Amino acid sequence: MEDNNLKNNQEQDVKPTVEPKDNDVNPKDDKGESKTGDVVSKLKERLNKKTAENSSLADQVADLRAQLQEFTQQDKANDEQASELDEAKKQLEALQLENQRIKASRQVEKDLQDAGLLSYSSDGVLDMLVGDTDEVTTQRTMAFIKFAQALETGIRKEYHTGHTPRTSGKASLTRDEINKIADPAKRLEAIKNNLSLYN
């Protein structure tokens, strides 16, 4: 029994005695105020600060989104204006080309009139003579005037050279005989020589 008592005494001696510190049980600083309250208030301050920063960042993100949307709309408007401008340029070029062709047509018509060939100034002839440039139009017009004058000269010569009729006014064939000729070229020649039968 003494051994048991001895063991218990030794165990009590061996166990370290841990006494609670004042700071652990009731944390107070030197002034006697609670440290826990300080920590909570500091955490609240930090939390409020972070919340304010996040709110500020959210506002900035919203502003940036609004600016991006505005820029996107402006970009679309600029694209629309650019396409309208391109269309207007194309129309302007077409109108300028049409105006140039009208001026060239008037000049060609005047040149034909000066050359005494106004009868050739129909739309088809003018369209044929008017080119993309003034030089081409002038070359075509001069070539056409030379061709038309040569043609008129040849026709006038042909009119001046007449043929003496082979008959003395009386038909050598009858109408029935002429109609019976099988070869069309010979039949036309016979009609030409006997026109008095068809008047």
Side-chain angles (χ1 to χ4, degrees):
M1 191 131 104
E2 285 183 351
D3 289 332
N4 283 338
N5 283 336
L6 189 58
K7 281 184 185 180
N8 285 336
N9 285 337
Q10 285 177 355
E11 284 178 6
Q12 287 176 0
D13 289 339
V14 172
K15 284 185 181 177
T17 57
V18 177
E19 295 181 14
K21 296 181 181 177
D22 286 343
N23 291 343
D24 289 342
V25 174
N26 192 6
K28 291 185 180 178
D29 61 0
D30 295 338
K31 295 178 184 176
E33 294 179 1
S34 170
K35 281 190 173 182
T36 309
D38 259 358
V39 171
V40 169
S41 67
K42 286 181 181 179
L43 286 175
K44 282 183 182 179
E45 286 178 18
R46 189 178 294 169
L47 181 62
N48 289 338
K49 185 177 177 182
K50 291 292 182 184
T51 305
E53 287 177 7
N54 287 344
S55 176
S56 174
L57 290 175
D59 290 344
Q60 288 177 0
V61 168
D63 289 344
L64 290 174
R65 283 186 179 155
Q67 288 177 2
L68 178 63
Q69 187 175 8
E70 184 180 327
F71 288 142
T72 304
Q73 289 173 352
Q74 287 177 355
D75 193 35
K76 285 180 183 178
N78 289 343
D79 287 345
E80 290 173 4
Q81 288 176 351
S83 65
E84 290 174 4
L85 182 63
D86 288 342
E87 186 64 30
K89 284 181 181 179
K90 288 177 185 177
Q91 289 177 353
L92 178 64
E93 289 173 2
L95 289 173
Q96 286 175 339
L97 182 62
E98 184 178 346
N99 188 31
Q100 182 182 359
R101 290 187 68 81
I102 289 171
K103 286 181 180 178
S105 295
R106 288 180 184 160
Q107 183 61 41
V108 168
E109 193 170 14
K110 183 181 179 300
D111 291 344
L112 291 176
Q113 184 178 10
D114 291 346
L117 302 171
L118 190 58
S119 60
Y120 290 105
S121 64
S122 67
D123 286 339
V125 173
L126 290 178
D127 288 341
M128 178 182 69
L129 296 178
V130 175
D132 292 336
T133 63
D134 291 338
E135 296 164 354
V136 171
T137 302
T138 303
Q139 289 174 353
R140 288 178 183 176
T141 303
M142 292 304 132
F144 180 77
I145 289 172
K146 286 179 185 177
F147 169 75
Q149 288 174 342
L151 184 65
E152 281 186 354
T153 303
I155 290 172
R156 282 191 187 125
K157 281 184 184 178
E158 191 174 313
Y159 280 142
H160 290 291
T161 58
H163 299 289
T164 307
R166 296 182 185 185
T167 60
S168 60
K170 293 185 178 180
S172 58
L173 297 172
T174 64
R175 247 179 146 165
D176 291 332
E177 292 173 337
I178 293 173
N179 289 337
K180 290 180 183 177
I181 298 173
D183 186 17
K186 289 181 181 180
R187 186 174 43 233
L188 287 174
E189 185 68 30
I191 291 171
K192 181 180 168 187
N193 291 335
N194 298 297
L195 281 177
S196 61
L197 295 174
Y198 294 93
N199 289 336

